[in-house]
Amino acid sequence: MLALWLTKLGVQVRIVDKAAEPGTTSRALAVQARTLEFYRQVGIADTVVHAGVKVAAANLWAGGTRVARLPLGSMGEGLSPFPYALTYGQDEHERLLESELDQLGVKVERRTELLGFETTERGVRARLKRPDGGEARAEAAYLAGCDGAHSVVRHALGTEFAGGTYTGVFYVADVRAAGPVTNEEIHVDLEEADCIAVFPLKGDGRVRLVGPASWEPTERQRELRFKDVAPRAVRNLRLSVSAVNWFSTYRVHHRVAARFRAGRVFLLGDAAHVHSPVGGQGMNTGIGDAVNLAWKLAAVLKGEARESLLDTYEPERIRFARRLVATTDRAFTLVVKQGALARRVRTRLVPFILPIAVRMRAMRRLLFRVVSQIGVQYRHSALSLGAAGKVRGGDRLPWIELEPGKDNFAALRSLKWQAHVYGEPAPGLAQACAELGVELHCFAWRDTMRHAGLARGAIYLVRPDGYVGLADSRGDARTVRKYWDNINPPWPR
């Protein structure tokens, strides 16, 4: 995703990957609305939605009976152009992104491994192991470590990866099956500490199973097979498995790197943060890292911004990563905690409370904002200033449907800074935006804009990633100029 955005922004990139081919197993599965919004900006959202599965509901099971059904399909209506949950396997994901890059002339250099690197004032010098086993040298302006939880880049930086590992071994299995839980919805069995989740995959009868494999020492991890966990997986969900396409066991970690940047070197995704799979946040958070960094790198490399703009990457993303790890840690602990009290909470209290909560519109919208990541904000960033209506600098720009098939997010496809005015712009604003090279988009006022938190006639200076940099209720051109000139880091005129 970092390479795709940078390439679309006119920056030359080089990707090295020691893997011989893209992943062949589904691994990460959930694609959140905020990720789809980013994908829409680079023209691939429709492809992902078509290839994935829209999930209409999540079901809770206890004692072999479905005890609650939570409708998901309409939770985000009015909040995003993608108001639903979507599953789309990481293997297909990787192939799609690599295909997009290939069409843009960028080839992933397979069987090529990063051995080490050194930084200078002008760039990064890297040592690579070629497919034939020989060594090669490479130079670049910056290095991005998107190389997973065992990141070579992070280890080379000596960056602490504080956190821990949960007790027990967990499994993931992609199977072909029949039964009441193969209806393209999510199903969660809340029995004991053996909480099992079922996620729909594209294709008739294909589902993903996730659950605990063993609470015994990890040495048993390599010995486990699907037959060892199948009885618990199918007993209460009445699942009949006809084929196992993939089975793997793993440990669950919760860690955040002490820093996401060291000079010209950056950490993204699992190289920077790992956490439990609760809520399907991991892959989406890594993609968010990539988008945040991409437009900033492009602006610096193209001479449109000073290098100090890159200082905002770490504080914006590390703050969210720490909060996410803490939140998923609490949720995961509840899911897997053993004992009579924990079982009572899972099997009785949760199925009772959740259906009541999601019947409340405010609760549905809050839950969607959190899980979909449209609620991620950078209000404490050096790039964020002001407030207009309920929107503050650092918030994601609210989505407004102007008419069927048309919305205010269409403008974000330019991947450029832009100014949005909902209502009539203030005098002099158009001239100021033209002089600064900022696109100005004016939208006729309607009540839905007020409901979304926007203020009539205000100016919202929107970053390339769709977040508001400046919000000013007066829509004053002088405020825009001052922001452009004085906020840290400033842009050269």
Side-chain angles (χ1 to χ4, degrees), residues 299 302 304-305 411 414-420 428-441 459-464 477 480-481 483-485 491-493:
K302 294 163 69 176
E304 297 171 354
S414 71
L415 307 184
K416 295 180 180 179
W417 277 90
Q418 53 194 262
H420 282 215
L429 182 61
Q431 181 180 347
C433 288
E435 292 175 358
L436 295 172
V438 176
E439 299 177 354
L440 175 61
H441 298 274
I459 175 73
Y460 299 95
L461 198 57
V462 184
R463 306 173 359 169
V480 174
R481 292 181 187 276
Y483 173 89
W484 203 254
D485 287 342
W491 285 261
R493 295 293 295 274

Side-chain angles (χ1 to χ4, degrees), residues 29-36 48-59 70-77 80-89 184-187 198-202 279-281 284 364 367-374:
L29 201 60
V31 184
Q32 304 296 353
R34 191 66 182 119
T35 296
L36 291 172
V48 172
V49 171
H50 179 74
V53 178
K54 292 183 182 179
V55 182
N59 303 272
L70 313 176
L72 304 177
S74 60
M75 289 183 65
E77 286 184 355
S80 171
F82 309 100
Y84 42 74
L86 186 82
T87 60
Y88 180 59
E184 295 194 341
E185 296 182 353
I186 295 172
H187 297 265
V198 182
F199 300 92
L201 297 172
K202 196 77 168 181
Q281 301 294 296
N284 298 274
R364 288 198 308 272
L367 184 60
F368 181 81
R369 287 181 183 277
V370 171
V371 176
S372 71
Q373 297 198 358
I374 68 168

Side-chain angles (χ1 to χ4, degrees), residues 54-376:
K54 292 183 182 179
V55 182
N59 303 272
L60 305 181
W61 293 66
T65 302
R66 189 177 71 176
V67 294
R69 185 176 187 271
L70 313 176
L72 304 177
S74 60
M75 289 183 65
E77 286 184 355
L79 297 177
S80 171
F82 309 100
Y84 42 74
L86 186 82
T87 60
Y88 180 59
Q90 186 176 335
D91 53 342
E92 297 177 74
H93 229 136
E94 288 185 20
R95 287 195 294 271
L96 171 64
L97 292 173
E98 191 163 333
S99 173
E100 289 292 316
L101 285 170
D102 187 67
Q103 293 178 41
L104 294 172
V106 178
K107 304 286 185 181
V108 177
E109 299 177 44
R110 295 283 176 190
R111 299 187 180 90
T112 304
E113 183 178 355
L114 176 69
L115 298 177
F117 61 89
E118 59 181 6
T119 60
T120 68
E121 289 186 2
R122 302 186 63 180
V124 179
R125 296 193 186 103
R127 291 189 301 112
L128 305 176
K129 182 179 180 181
R130 300 192 307 254
D132 62 6
E135 285 196 19
R137 302 279 176 169
E139 294 190 2
Y142 297 94
L143 172 66
C146 308
D147 49 344
H150 302 288
S151 171
V152 171
V153 176
R154 190 186 65 247
H155 283 295
L157 292 174
T159 301
E160 184 181 3
F161 203 34
T165 303
Y166 296 101
T167 301
V169 179
F170 299 84
Y171 76 88
V172 55
D174 287 355
V175 304
R176 188 170 297 278
V181 299
T182 60
N183 62 345
E184 295 194 341
E185 296 182 353
I186 295 172
H187 297 265
V188 180
D189 177 22
L190 300 170
E191 284 301 300
E192 298 294 342
D194 295 337
C195 182
I196 297 166
V198 182
F199 300 92
L201 297 172
K202 196 77 168 181
D204 187 33
R206 289 189 61 216
V207 295
R208 153 80 62 83
L209 302 177
V210 179
S214 173
W215 299 110
E216 297 183 24
T218 58
E219 285 74 17
R220 283 200 59 204
Q221 183 172 347
R222 293 190 184 91
E223 304 171 15
L224 292 168
R225 299 291 184 269
F226 181 70
K227 65 180 181 180
D228 299 313
V229 301
R232 286 182 295 177
V234 304
R235 180 178 59 238
N236 290 331
L237 296 175
R238 304 198 297 274
L239 194 65
S240 176
V241 178
S242 58
V244 180
N245 301 319
W246 175 52
F247 177 80
S248 181
T249 57
Y250 62 98
R251 303 292 303 281
V252 176
H253 308 273
H254 50 104
R255 302 179 184 276
V256 180
R259 54 182 178 168
F260 287 10
R261 182 194 181 194
R264 290 180 172 271
V265 183
F266 301 88
L267 298 175
L268 297 83
D270 286 358
H273 45 78
V274 293
H275 42 83
S276 86
V278 171
Q281 301 294 296
M283 179 177 66
N284 298 274
T285 303
I287 290 169
D289 294 342
V291 173
N292 185 287
L293 180 59
W295 71 267
K296 296 173 182 178
L297 277 174
V300 170
L301 287 166
K302 294 163 69 176
E304 297 171 354
R306 298 179 183 177
E307 192 169 9
S308 53
L309 173 64
L310 299 175
D311 293 339
T312 64
Y313 166 69
E314 179 180 297
E316 288 186 355
R317 295 307 296 175
I318 203 170
R319 185 185 185 95
F320 172 61
R322 287 170 176 164
R323 185 170 65 249
L324 178 64
V325 168
T327 302
T328 56
D329 177 61
R330 290 192 293 268
F332 190 72
T333 299
L334 173 64
V335 168
V336 302
K337 190 174 181 63
Q338 302 181 68
L341 179 60
R343 181 180 185 275
R344 186 179 294 271
V345 170
R346 279 194 302 273
T347 61
R348 296 188 182 182
L349 188 60
V350 171
F352 175 74
I353 292 177
L354 274 183
I356 296 175
V358 298
R359 283 200 291 268
M360 301 164 53
R361 184 173 182 269
M363 184 59 68
R364 288 198 308 272
R365 293 170 74 85
L366 174 62
L367 184 60
F368 181 81
R369 287 181 183 277
V370 171
V371 176
S372 71
Q373 297 198 358
I374 68 168
V376 174

